[in-house]
Amino acid sequence: MPTFYPPTIKDLPGVLPESRGIARDLGRHYKYSRSRSVVRRAGHWVAVDYPLDTEITETSGFLGGHTYTVTDAVAAELVADGFVVT
């Protein structure tokens, strides 16, 4: 069975508005990996940062940071929409 791990992106950390000086300057240069969720919208799989509760079900969504075993049909759909399935 194929496995799917939702994608990650390199992102800048959020900076509090009251941050100043060296803390803000250093924070701008530090990137970290962040997982994204993958949901089905309008018949296509898309990566989102904040999925709706109704979008994450056993057949229509994958929360970021987890590994999933998927069927061959779902794997083919994910690959067709640009995701990597192993």
Side-chain angles (χ1 to χ4, degrees):
M1 295 287 284
T3 57
F4 176 64
Y5 186 80
T8 59
I9 60 171
K10 292 283 188 178
D11 203 1
L12 293 173
V15 178
L16 297 174
E18 61 270 14
S19 296
R20 295 182 197 163
I22 195 166
R24 184 179 180 117
D25 292 340
L26 288 175
R28 292 185 334 194
H29 301 287
Y30 176 76
K31 290 188 176 184
Y32 65 99
S33 292
R34 179 172 58 85
S35 294
R36 300 190 74 199
S37 297
V38 176
V39 297
R40 183 188 274 293
R41 289 186 180 164
H44 294 282
W45 294 100
V46 294
V48 297
D49 291 325
Y50 304 105
L52 301 174
D53 290 340
T54 57
E55 291 180 316
I56 301 297
T57 66
E58 291 181 16
T59 58
S60 68
F62 305 100
L63 285 175
H66 302 278
T67 302
Y68 296 91
T69 301
V70 296
T71 64
D72 291 330
V74 172
E77 292 174 3
L78 287 164
V79 169
D81 287 332
F83 295 99
V84 176
V85 178
T86 57

